[in-house]
Coordinates of all heavy atoms in Angstrom, one line a residue:
A88 N 22.4 -2.9 -18.4 CA 22.6 -4.2 -17.8 C 21.7 -4.3 -16.7 O 21.4 -3.5 -15.9 CB 24.1 -4.3 -17.3
D89 N 21.3 -5.7 -16.6 CA 20.3 -6.0 -15.4 C 21.2 -5.8 -14.1 O 22.3 -6.2 -14.0 CB 19.9 -7.5 -15.5 CG 19.0 -7.6 -16.7 OD1 18.6 -6.6 -17.3 OD2 18.7 -8.7 -17.0
V90 N 20.6 -5.2 -13.1 CA 21.2 -4.9 -11.9 C 20.4 -5.1 -10.7 O 19.1 -5.2 -10.8 CB 21.7 -3.4 -11.8 CG1 22.7 -3.1 -12.9 CG2 20.5 -2.4 -11.9
D91 N 21.0 -5.2 -9.5 CA 20.2 -5.2 -8.3 C 20.0 -3.8 -7.9 O 20.9 -3.0 -7.8 CB 21.1 -5.9 -7.3 CG 20.3 -6.1 -5.9 OD1 19.3 -5.5 -5.8 OD2 20.9 -6.8 -5.0
I92 N 18.7 -3.5 -7.6 CA 18.4 -2.1 -7.2 C 19.2 -1.6 -6.0 O 19.5 -0.4 -5.9 CB 16.9 -1.9 -6.8 CG1 16.1 -2.1 -8.2 CG2 16.5 -0.8 -6.1 CD1 14.6 -1.9 -8.0
G93 N 19.6 -2.5 -5.1 CA 20.3 -2.2 -3.9 C 21.8 -2.0 -4.1 O 22.6 -1.7 -3.3
A94 N 22.3 -2.2 -5.5 CA 23.7 -2.1 -5.8 C 24.3 -0.7 -5.4 O 23.5 0.2 -5.7 CB 23.9 -2.5 -7.2
D95 N 25.5 -0.6 -5.0 CA 26.1 0.6 -4.7 C 26.7 1.2 -6.0 O 27.8 1.0 -6.4 CB 27.3 0.4 -3.7 CG 27.8 1.7 -3.3 OD1 27.3 2.8 -3.5 OD2 29.0 1.7 -2.7
D96 N 25.8 2.0 -6.6 CA 26.1 2.6 -8.0 C 25.4 3.9 -8.2 O 24.3 4.1 -7.7 CB 25.8 1.7 -9.1 CG 26.4 1.9 -10.4 OD1 26.4 3.1 -10.8 OD2 27.1 1.0 -11.0
N97 N 26.0 4.8 -8.7 CA 25.4 6.2 -8.9 C 24.4 6.2 -10.0 O 23.6 7.1 -10.2 CB 26.5 7.3 -9.2 CG 27.3 7.5 -7.9 OD1 26.9 7.4 -6.8 ND2 28.6 7.8 -8.2
T98 N 24.6 5.1 -11.0 CA 23.6 5.2 -12.1 C 22.3 4.7 -11.6 O 22.0 3.7 -10.9 CB 24.1 4.1 -13.1 OG1 25.5 4.5 -13.5 CG2 23.3 4.2 -14.4
E99 N 21.2 5.3 -12.1 CA 19.8 5.1 -11.7 C 19.4 3.7 -12.2 O 19.7 3.3 -13.4 CB 18.8 6.2 -12.3 CG 17.4 5.9 -11.9 CD 16.6 7.0 -12.5 OE1 17.1 7.8 -13.3 OE2 15.4 7.0 -12.1
A100 N 18.7 2.8 -11.4 CA 18.2 1.6 -11.9 C 16.8 1.6 -12.0 O 16.1 2.1 -11.0 CB 18.6 0.5 -10.9
V101 N 16.2 1.4 -13.1 CA 14.7 1.5 -13.4 C 14.1 0.3 -13.9 O 14.7 -0.4 -14.9 CB 14.5 2.7 -14.5 CG1 12.9 2.9 -14.6 CG2 15.1 4.0 -13.9
S102 N 13.0 -0.1 -13.4 CA 12.3 -1.3 -13.8 C 11.1 -0.8 -14.6 O 10.8 0.3 -14.7 CB 11.9 -2.2 -12.7 OG 10.9 -1.6 -11.9
V103 N 10.4 -1.8 -15.3 CA 9.2 -1.5 -16.1 C 8.1 -0.9 -15.1 O 7.4 0.0 -15.5 CB 8.7 -2.7 -16.9 CG1 7.4 -2.5 -17.5 CG2 9.8 -3.2 -17.9
S104 N 8.0 -1.5 -13.9 CA 7.0 -1.1 -13.0 C 7.3 0.4 -12.6 O 6.4 1.2 -12.5 CB 7.1 -1.9 -11.7 OG 6.7 -3.1 -12.1
D105 N 8.7 0.7 -12.3 CA 9.0 2.1 -12.1 C 8.7 3.1 -13.2 O 8.2 4.2 -13.0 CB 10.5 2.1 -11.8 CG 11.0 1.4 -10.7 OD1 10.1 1.3 -9.8 OD2 12.1 0.8 -10.6

Side-chain angles (χ1 to χ4, degrees):
D89 291 351
V90 295
D91 182 353
I92 286 183
D95 186 14
D96 197 307
N97 293 326
T98 305
E99 182 182 9
V101 182
S102 68
V103 175
S104 295
D105 297 330

